[in-house]
């Protein structure tokens, strides 16, 4: 039996005070990832700070025409929110491609950002893993690595970030709002998650004494030409082997603006501004899409079992951009499941 304390935070300031006072504490929101990790003995917080009663459950319009999503908005509520469905259907589509209806009802926006990798060795405390135990080694590099990263890897870790929602947030240029003992700050989405480098134990640039309070979306939603394409072993209830968030603004057949983010291929949602630049001003056709895919994957490297992902990603990028051009959203119906 491993004992831990359970406390509730009354407001954001109280939550920050409590986490800053105890380095062994962890926030708990939906608990869909943290409780699993505690059961597997991967995480051992001495104290759980329940943040589910904090007033961070609204979706509000911002002065610049965007939206502010509270960190405790459940994934289901967010995906079915009318403003998200109308203006950011790429985000709704990505959320609905993840987990199951029951899990999405519990999972929070902040928790989704901070969910940990699904690397099998990270979950298996009998094996070396630099992310779980820094300096112990990486079992995946020479082990089973079918689900692992092909971009931005290091000698210390080749894990992927498992979120679908975050891939869409990366493509949409979201911003993460956090509060800590020094006050509030905003982190651009591309700076929120980290590459493993030689500190794979750190997934994000959130400090241990900070709380995520909200995620902001800018006004630009790409509601006409978008696709979230998720390739996985089963059609539901499985993490992405490769996923693509593709969003375009078209002027006839010419691409005015393009966003491309990949999931399942790196330690963070992968965006490549050079590949996006290669799409701008070009005709929306397979030749353009293939060029962008080649550019995005120029430094991709496989580790044996996962080498198939390089070609899979190339084909998926071309398919996602083709679907986005045609206005064919994927990968799942966004009709409400009652
Ligand atoms: C079987 C299964 C299948 C799944 N499939 C998918 C999938 O296909 N795609 C996908 O994207 N996800 C999938 N998930 C993951 C799921 O989306 C996450 O578990 C969920 O989003 C986590 O949210 P939560 O609120 O439950 O987080 P919790 O488990 O409560 O917390 C997770 C982490 O975030 C921290 N945290 C939570 N909120 C905050 C905050 N506001 N500020 C600072 N720290 C915070 C906690 O301390 C903890 O470290 C799956 C999960 C399961 C169990
Ligand atoms: S890939 Fe990362 S998480 Fe997986 S075993 Fe290696 S160090 Fe651990």
């Amino acid at each position: 039996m491993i004992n831990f304390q359970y406390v509730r935070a009354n407001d954001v300031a109280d939550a920050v005070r409590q986490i800053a006072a105890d380095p062994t504490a962890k926030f708990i929101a939906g608990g869909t990832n943290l409780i699993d990790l505690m059961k597997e003995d991967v995480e051992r917080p001495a104290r759980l700070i329940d943040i589910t009663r904090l007033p961070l459950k609204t979706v509000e319009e911002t002065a610049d025409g965007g939206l502010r999503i509270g960190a405790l908005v459940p994934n289901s509520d967010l995906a079915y929110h009318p403003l998200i469905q109308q203006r950011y259907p790429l985000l709704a589509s990505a959320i609905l491609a993840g987990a199951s209806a029951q899990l999405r009802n519990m999972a929070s926006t902040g928790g989704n950002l901070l969910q940990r990798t699904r690397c099998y060795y990270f979950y298996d405390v009998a094996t070396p893993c630099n992310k779980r135990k820094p300096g112990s080694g990486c079992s995946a590099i020479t082990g089973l690595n079918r689900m692992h990263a092909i971009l931005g890897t290091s000698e210390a870790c080749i894990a992927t970030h498992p979120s679908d929602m975050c891939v869409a947030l990366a493509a949409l240029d979201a911003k993460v709002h956090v509060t800590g003992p020094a006050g509030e700050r905003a982190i651009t989405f591309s700076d929120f998650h980290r590459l493993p480098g030689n500190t794979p134990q750190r997934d994000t640039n959130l400090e241990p004494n900070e709380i995520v309070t909200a995620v902001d979306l800018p006004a630009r939603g790409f509601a006409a030409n978008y696709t979230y394409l998720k390739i996985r072993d089963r059609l539901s209830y499985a993490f992405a082997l490769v996923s693509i968030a593709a969003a375009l603004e078209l002027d006839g057949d010419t691409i005015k603006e393009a966003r491309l983010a990949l999931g399942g291929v790196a330690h963070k949602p992968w965006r490549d501004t050079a590949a996006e630049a290669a799409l701008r001003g070009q005709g929306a056709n397979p030749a353009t899409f293939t060029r962008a895919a080649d550019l995005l994957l120029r430094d991709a490297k496989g580790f044996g079992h996962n080498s198939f992902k390089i070609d899979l990603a190339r084909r998926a990028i071309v398919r996602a951009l083709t679907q986005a051009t045609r206005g064919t959203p994927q990968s799942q119906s966004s009709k409400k499941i009652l």
Side-chain angles (χ1 to χ4, degrees), residues 26-36 43 51 56 71-72 75 97-100 103 106-116 118 162-165 206 210-213 230 232 237-240:
K26 282 244 156 201
F27 292 131
I28 182 157
T32 61
N33 189 214
L34 182 56
I35 297 295
D36 280 356
E43 299 259 21
I51 56 172
L56 304 172
L72 290 167
N75 288 180
S100 64
L103 283 160
M106 289 301 293
S108 65
T109 302
N112 194 310
L113 259 53
L114 291 156
Q115 62 174 297
R116 308 214 65 192
R118 291 282 157 172
S163 170
D164 290 293
M165 185 184 88
L206 186 76
E210 288 179 316
I211 184 170
V212 173
T213 54
K230 179 174 178 180
R232 47 192 152 172
Y237 206 48
F239 290 90

Side-chain angles (χ1 to χ4, degrees), residues 9-178:
N10 298 319
D11 51 37
V12 170
D14 183 36
V16 171
R17 237 184 339 267
Q18 294 205 46
I19 201 97
D22 183 355
T24 65
K26 282 244 156 201
F27 292 131
I28 182 157
T32 61
N33 189 214
L34 182 56
I35 297 295
D36 280 356
L37 291 165
M38 288 171 69
K39 285 183 193 160
E40 298 292 337
D41 202 18
V42 176
E43 299 259 21
R44 271 194 185 210
R47 170 187 273 242
L48 286 184
I49 304 168
D50 182 345
I51 56 172
T52 53
R53 284 167 176 75
L54 302 188
L56 304 172
K57 292 182 183 154
T58 54
V59 177
E60 287 164 8
E61 299 197 62
T62 54
D64 63 0
L67 288 186
R68 174 157 299 182
I69 303 160
L72 290 167
V73 175
N75 288 180
S76 303
D77 290 11
L78 187 58
Y80 296 124
H81 193 287
L83 290 174
I84 298 291
Q85 295 235 322
Q86 284 156 26
R87 287 165 49 186
Y88 306 94
L90 173 65
L91 178 57
S93 200
I95 294 171
L96 293 174
S100 64
Q102 292 89 339
L103 283 160
R104 294 193 297 266
N105 286 342
M106 289 301 293
S108 65
T109 302
N112 194 310
L113 259 53
L114 291 156
Q115 62 174 297
R116 308 214 65 192
T117 184
R118 291 282 157 172
C119 170
Y120 340 100
Y121 301 106
F122 177 68
Y123 273 78
D124 180 355
V125 293
T127 59
C129 168
N130 287 324
K131 186 180 279 297
R132 181 170 27 77
K133 192 172 174 204
S136 63
C138 172
S139 300
I141 289 177
T142 53
L144 293 173
N145 51 42
R146 186 168 184 276
M147 65 187 291
H148 288 75
I150 52 171
L151 287 162
T153 54
S154 75
E155 285 176 10
C157 179
I158 59 169
T160 56
H161 192 263
S163 170
D164 290 293
M165 185 184 88
C166 290
V167 184
L169 290 176
L172 290 167
D173 257 347
K175 233 179 220 160
V176 184
H177 289 264
V178 310

